[in-house]
C-alpha cells in the first residue's frame, strides 16, 4: 500500500484532474480520496458526469467519526466504483463540512485508510489523495506526513513560482519532521500561451535552484486530453502528449514507491 498525496499552493493547476487520471490509469488497484477542504466533490459532476447521486463520501465518514465509529468498514461503505479495481470516496456534500473538518478527523481517516486493504482483501491497494489547495496549519497534516509521495502541482510562470517560494518551506518542514522531506516533488503544467522559458517562466532547473526540490514531470497544456478526466469528455488518444506524460509520471512514481510501499499489518 502507498499513499500518493496531490496538492497545490495557488491557482488551479489541475490537482483533481491529475488525481482522477492517475487513479483510472494506475497499474495497481487504486482508490481516489477526494480530500479537498475548500469545495465539494469534483469527481461526480465532472469525470462521472453526474451519473452518481452524491449520497456517499466524506460527509458520512465525518458523521461516523463523530460517533466514534470511523474505521475501515465504515469508510469502505462510502466508496463508489470507477471500474474494476478502481474506487473513489467522494468529497464533502457541502462546503461547511469541508471547511469544518478537524485534525482529529483526518488522523482517524489515516488510521482507517491503513486498515482498508484488509477490509476489502486487496493488500496492494494504493490511495491517491486529491487534496486541492494546501493551507497554512493544514488540518490534514497527519495524512500528509504519512504519505509515501507528496506531489505539488504548479504552473510555471513567475507568479506561480512566487507562490511556491512562500508556501513550500513550511510544507517541507512538516515532511522533515516526519523524516520524509525527500518525498516532496513538483509536477509542472506549462502555461497555455507562453512558449519556452524566459523572464516570466521558470523551468525545473530554476525551480530546483530556488526551492531545492525536484520536478518529477512537466505536463503540456492539453485541455482536450485533460477534459476527459475533468469533465467526462471523450477519452484522449494514448499517443497524445498528455497521456505520454501521464504514463511517464506513473512509471516514475512506481519506481519511487517500490522502496517505500508497505504491507499493512494484521490486526491483533
Amino acid at each position: 500500500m502507498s499513499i500518493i498525496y496531490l496538492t497545490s499552493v495557488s491557482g488551479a493547476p489541475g490537482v483533481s484532474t491529475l488525481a482522477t487520471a492517475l487513479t483510472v490509469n494506475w497499474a495497481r488497484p487504486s482508490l481516489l480520496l477526494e480530500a479537498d477542504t475548500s469545495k465539494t466533490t469534483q469527481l461526480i459532476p465532472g469525470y462521472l458526469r453526474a451519473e452518481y447521486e452524491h449520497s456517499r463520501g466524506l460527509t458520512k465518514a465525518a458523521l461516523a467519526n463523530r460517533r466514534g465509529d470511523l474505521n475501515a468498514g465504515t469508510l469502505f461503505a462510502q466508496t463508489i466504483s470507477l471500474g474494476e479495481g478502481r474506487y473513489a470516496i467522494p468529497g464533502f456534500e457541502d462546503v461547511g463540512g469541508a471547511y469544518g473538518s478537524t485534525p482529529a478527523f483526518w488522523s482517524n481517516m489515516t488510521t482507517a485508510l491503513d486498515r482498508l486493504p484488509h477490509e476489502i482483501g486487496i493488500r496492494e491497494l494504493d490511495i491517491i489523495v486529491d487534496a486541492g489547495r494546501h493551507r497554512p496549519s493544514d488540518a490534514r497534516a497527519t495524512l500528509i506526513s504519512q504519505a509515501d509521495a507528496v506531489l505539488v502541482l504548479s504552473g510555471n510562470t513567475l507568479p506561480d513560482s512566487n507562490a511556491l517560494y512562500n508556501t513550500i518551506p513550511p510544507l517541507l518542514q512538516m515532511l522533515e519532521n516526519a523524516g520524509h522531506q525527500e518525498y516532496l516533488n513538483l509536477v509542472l503544467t506549462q502555461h497555455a500561451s507562453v512558449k519556452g522559458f524566459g523572464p516570466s517562466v521558470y523551468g525545473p532547473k530554476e525551480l530546483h535552484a530556488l526551492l531545492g526540490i525536484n520536478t518529477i514531470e512537466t505536463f503540456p497544456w492539453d485541455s482536450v486530453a485533460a477534459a476527459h478526466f475533468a469533465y467526462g469528455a471523450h477519452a484522449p488518444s494514448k499517443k497524445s502528449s498528455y497521456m505520454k506524460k501521464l504514463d511517464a509520471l506513473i512509471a516514475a512514481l512506481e519506481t519511487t514507491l517500490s522502496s517505500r510501499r508497505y504491507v499493512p499489518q494484521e490486526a491483533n
Side-chain angles (χ1 to χ4, degrees), residues 149-174:
V150 177
L151 305 183
V152 176
L153 276 68
S154 175
N156 64 343
T157 66
L158 186 56
D160 296 319
S161 304
N162 183 66
L164 288 171
Y165 181 79
N166 287 290
T167 311
I168 286 294
L171 182 55
L172 274 174
Q173 185 62 56
M174 181 190 302

Side-chain angles (χ1 to χ4, degrees), residues 41-54:
T41 177
Q42 165 72 23
L43 179 70
I44 290 178
Y47 178 71
L48 294 175
R49 296 181 293 184
E51 293 176 358
Y52 281 86
E53 181 182 355
H54 193 182

Side-chain angles (χ1 to χ4, degrees), residues 16-231:
S16 296
T17 299
L18 183 57
T20 303
L22 285 174
T23 303
V24 299
N25 288 279
W26 200 245
R28 294 157 50 95
S30 57
L31 182 146
L32 173 61
L33 175 65
E34 278 197 298
D36 196 330
T37 57
S38 66
K39 64 180 182 181
T40 61
T41 177
Q42 165 72 23
L43 179 70
I44 290 178
Y47 178 71
L48 294 175
R49 296 181 293 184
E51 293 176 358
Y52 281 86
E53 181 182 355
H54 193 182
S55 58
R56 299 182 182 183
L58 290 187
T59 295
K60 298 293 193 303
L63 290 173
N65 185 64
R66 290 182 65 179
R67 298 192 303 266
D69 191 34
L70 180 57
N71 53 45
T74 55
L75 184 60
F76 187 63
Q78 300 310 315
T79 60
I80 60 176
S81 174
L82 297 182
E84 185 176 357
R86 303 287 183 268
Y87 308 91
I89 299 175
F92 289 93
E93 295 174 23
D94 61 86
V95 176
Y99 279 131
S101 60
T102 65
F105 168 68
W106 291 109
S107 179
N108 292 336
M109 169 70 70
T110 304
T111 300
L113 288 172
D114 182 78
R115 297 295 311 151
L116 194 55
H118 287 297
E119 179 68 25
I120 64 176
I122 304 177
R123 288 197 175 192
E124 63 270 25
L125 181 74
D126 288 331
I127 312 297
I128 297 172
V129 180
D130 170 11
R133 188 176 298 188
H134 180 73
R135 297 178 177 184
S137 303
D138 202 299
R140 299 162 295 184
T142 299
L143 184 55
I144 299 170
S145 297
Q146 291 299 312
D148 302 283
V150 177
L151 305 183
V152 176
L153 276 68
S154 175
N156 64 343
T157 66
L158 186 56
D160 296 319
S161 304
N162 183 66
L164 288 171
Y165 181 79
N166 287 290
T167 311
I168 286 294
L171 182 55
L172 274 174
Q173 185 62 56
M174 181 190 302
L175 291 170
E176 183 177 3
N177 292 341
H180 295 165
Q181 184 173 2
E182 72 277 14
Y183 288 13
L184 182 66
N185 286 279
L186 293 176
V187 175
L188 297 181
T189 299
Q190 294 175 348
H191 193 276
S193 59
V194 180
K195 301 295 184 182
F197 299 127
S200 63
V201 179
Y202 273 27
K205 291 183 179 179
E206 293 167 300
L207 286 173
H208 181 268
L210 179 69
L211 303 169
I213 57 177
N214 294 319
T215 298
I216 193 170
E217 195 54 76
T218 300
F219 276 73
W221 183 266
D222 189 341
S223 58
V224 174
H228 172 62
F229 304 107
Y231 310 118

Side-chain angles (χ1 to χ4, degrees), residues 230-241:
Y231 310 118
H234 292 298
S237 167
K238 283 289 187 181
K239 297 181 180 180
S240 70
S241 55

